[in-house]
């Protein structure tokens, strides 16, 4: 969510009112701000609605202010003399405001995409899909088998000698029926993965596509004219679809598609990459509020059946905190 000066000011007033709820100068200033512009009143209503949507205020260590318990706009009762406001530590205030703005962004996002269900992919032409924390096995027209991770959708096409599957979103493990005369192609964004018979995993999230090979060989053709990459069992390839940058790595072949057993094994992955996988297994939204924290790298084995526990285990060694706002929103923040 782009910063909105009016909305940001409304969050500031909420923080001030929570810090000093009995301060008449703060309350008078807040009332004057609301009366000065209809846009201010609209922003205040949105802030209050966002706070209610978060469900609980514990993680922010502040007391919520209910709009209906505060003096109404246009209150003309005499107000106590105003006295100078005491400045608060700016870093503390900025951190809390940033967390609330991030929370507001997540609430807005959740309205549109947090509760992904199989039907939500219908408009994208998906012929197989899963919801949150749901996995599904699909047998394709040629006998190849696909296992879908949570929040995943695919579209298949088998005609005119073509064997092609488009990974619209999410992650999938493919066990391809051998047929040298008809290569099997998986498309994820601008990345094409071609095989004749093998087992491999493909994940697409935002601007990144990851291919991991359990057996056989795979040919990966990134977009932007990059050279074709050949992968064998145990190879891992990550493609940044925006820049075309390619990163190779290795893992044990038996760890490819470990999510099928409720496990997530990562080696030198970023926090953001791990969170992207955990989002498929937890209802609601997981939001990283600090870009530097999201770029930190971790290695570990995590339990996908308990995403909150996995998040906390991942955050401990990198200096992060996990703050849950009810059942639908989790913020991953830098400690301190």
């Amino acid at each position: 969510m782009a910063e909105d000066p009016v909305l940001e000011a409304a969050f500031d007033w909420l923080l001030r009112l929570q810090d000093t709820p009995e301060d008449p100068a703060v309350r008078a200033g807040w009332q004057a701000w609301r009366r000065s512009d209809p846009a201010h009143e609209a922003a205040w209503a949105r802030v209050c609605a966002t706070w209610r949507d978060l469900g609980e205020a514990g993680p922010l260590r502040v007391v919520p202010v209910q709009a209906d318990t505060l003096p109404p706009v246009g209150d003309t009762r005499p107000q106590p003399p105003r006295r100078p406001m005491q400045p608060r530590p700016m870093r503390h205030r900025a951190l809390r405001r940033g967390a609330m703005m991030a929370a507001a962004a997540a609430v807005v996002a959740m309205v549109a995409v947090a509760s992904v269900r199989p039907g939500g992919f219908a408009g994208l032409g998906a012929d197989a899909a899963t919801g949150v924390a749901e996995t599904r096995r699909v047998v394709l027209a040629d006998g190849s088998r696909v296992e879908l991770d949570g929040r995943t959708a695919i579209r298949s096409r088998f005609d005119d000698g073509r064997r092609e599957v488009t990974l619209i979103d999410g992650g999938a493990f493919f066990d391809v029926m051998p047929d040298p005369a008809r290569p099997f192609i998986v498309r994820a964004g601008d990345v094409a993965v071609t095989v004749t018979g093998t087992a491999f995993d493909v994940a697409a999230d935002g601007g990144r596509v990851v291919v991991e090979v359990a057996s056989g060989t795979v040919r990966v053709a990134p977009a932007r004219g990059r050279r074709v990459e050949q992968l064998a069992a145990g190879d891992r390839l990550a493609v940044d679809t925006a820049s075309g940058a390619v990163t190779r790595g290795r893992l044990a072949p038996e760890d490819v598609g470990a999510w099928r057993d409720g496990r997530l094994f990562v080696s030198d992955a970023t926090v953001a990459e791990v969170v992207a996988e955990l989002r498929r297994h937890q209802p609601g939204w997981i939001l990283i509020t600090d870009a530097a924290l999201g770029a930190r790298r971790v290695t570990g084995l995590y339990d996908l059946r308990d995403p909150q526990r996995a998040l906390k285990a991942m955050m401990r060694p990198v200096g992060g905190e996990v703050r849950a706002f009810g059942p639908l929103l989790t913020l991953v923040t830098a400690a301190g």
Side-chain angles (χ1 to χ4, degrees), residues 106-140:
V107 169
V108 172
M110 281 191 292
V111 171
V113 299
S115 299
V116 175
R117 294 177 175 85
F121 292 107
L124 299 176
D127 49 31
T130 55
V132 178
E134 177 189 5
T135 59
R136 178 182 174 187
R137 295 183 179 181
V138 178
V139 178
L140 301 177

Side-chain angles (χ1 to χ4, degrees), residues 252-330:
E254 59 268 24
D255 287 327
V256 175
W259 54 265
R260 295 173 295 158
D261 299 321
R263 299 179 297 116
L264 175 62
F265 173 76
V266 298
S267 177
D268 195 35
T270 67
V271 167
E273 290 169 354
V274 179
V275 166
E277 176 61 34
L278 293 177
R279 284 182 182 136
R280 299 184 190 131
H281 297 267
Q282 176 169 303
W285 196 254
I286 305 173
L287 183 71
I288 304 172
T289 64
D290 185 292
L293 177 63
R296 293 178 188 173
R297 310 195 79 84
V298 295
T299 296
L301 181 64
Y302 305 105
D303 187 352
L304 290 175
R305 294 165 296 188
D306 191 345
Q308 285 288 318
R309 182 181 177 187
L311 276 172
K312 292 174 182 177
M314 177 175 60
M315 286 297 98
R316 278 195 291 269
V318 297
E321 293 181 353
V322 178
R323 300 179 177 184
F325 294 79
L328 291 180
L329 174 61
T330 298

Side-chain angles (χ1 to χ4, degrees), residues 1-335:
M1 182 177 66
E3 289 191 8
D4 181 335
V6 177
L7 187 61
E8 191 170 354
F11 274 111
D12 271 342
W13 281 114
L14 180 58
L15 291 176
R16 291 180 187 180
L17 289 163
Q18 290 167 337
D19 277 354
T20 54
E22 305 302 325
D23 189 324
V26 171
R27 294 173 72 83
W30 163 73
Q31 290 173 356
W33 178 81
R34 286 178 66 186
R35 288 194 295 265
S36 65
D37 190 323
H40 295 177
E41 180 64 21
W44 177 254
R46 184 177 175 188
V47 164
C48 291
T50 294
W51 188 254
R52 287 192 297 270
D53 287 341
L54 294 181
E56 54 181 289
L60 288 178
R61 296 179 175 85
V62 290
V63 179
V65 177
Q66 300 297 328
D68 55 6
T69 65
L70 297 172
V73 175
D75 189 350
T76 58
R77 291 175 295 175
Q79 297 294 329
R82 299 189 65 173
R83 60 185 175 83
M85 294 183 186
Q86 296 298 317
R88 295 183 296 151
M90 291 303 293
R91 180 176 181 274
H92 177 64
R93 176 173 158 190
L95 285 174
R96 291 200 301 157
R97 182 181 64 193
M100 290 185 68
M101 291 292 284
V107 169
V108 172
M110 281 191 292
V111 171
V113 299
S115 299
V116 175
R117 294 177 175 85
F121 292 107
L124 299 176
D127 49 31
T130 55
V132 178
E134 177 189 5
T135 59
R136 178 182 174 187
R137 295 183 179 181
V138 178
V139 178
L140 301 177
D142 67 335
S144 297
R145 296 182 297 275
V146 185
E147 295 186 54
L148 306 184
D149 198 355
R151 286 180 171 169
T152 294
I154 62 171
R155 178 174 59 249
S156 58
R157 181 178 178 181
F158 288 78
D159 56 20
D160 300 327
R162 179 196 304 263
R163 295 197 297 169
E164 184 172 302
V165 174
T166 298
L167 179 61
I168 299 171
D169 193 29
F173 184 91
F174 296 84
D175 190 355
V176 177
M177 184 69 68
D179 186 348
R182 292 194 304 162
F184 189 101
I185 301 173
V186 176
R187 298 192 184 278
D190 291 332
V191 177
V193 182
T194 304
V195 302
T196 54
T198 186
F200 60 101
D201 189 270
V202 182
D205 184 81
R208 195 173 65 100
V209 174
V210 178
V211 181
E212 298 175 347
V213 181
S215 64
T217 58
V218 165
R219 185 171 73 248
V220 181
R224 298 179 177 273
R226 299 280 178 168
R227 69 183 182 90
V228 173
E229 302 280 346
Q230 300 286 345
L231 306 184
D235 283 339
R236 179 182 190 272
L237 185 76
V239 182
D240 185 318
T241 56
S243 66
V246 171
T247 304
R248 296 188 65 128
R250 292 283 299 172
L251 74 165
E254 59 268 24
D255 287 327
V256 175
W259 54 265
R260 295 173 295 158
D261 299 321
R263 299 179 297 116
L264 175 62
F265 173 76
V266 298
S267 177
D268 195 35
T270 67
V271 167
E273 290 169 354
V274 179
V275 166
E277 176 61 34
L278 293 177
R279 284 182 182 136
R280 299 184 190 131
H281 297 267
Q282 176 169 303
W285 196 254
I286 305 173
L287 183 71
I288 304 172
T289 64
D290 185 292
L293 177 63
R296 293 178 188 173
R297 310 195 79 84
V298 295
T299 296
L301 181 64
Y302 305 105
D303 187 352
L304 290 175
R305 294 165 296 188
D306 191 345
Q308 285 288 318
R309 182 181 177 187
L311 276 172
K312 292 174 182 177
M314 177 175 60
M315 286 297 98
R316 278 195 291 269
V318 297
E321 293 181 353
V322 178
R323 300 179 177 184
F325 294 79
L328 291 180
L329 174 61
T330 298
L331 296 185
V332 178
T333 65

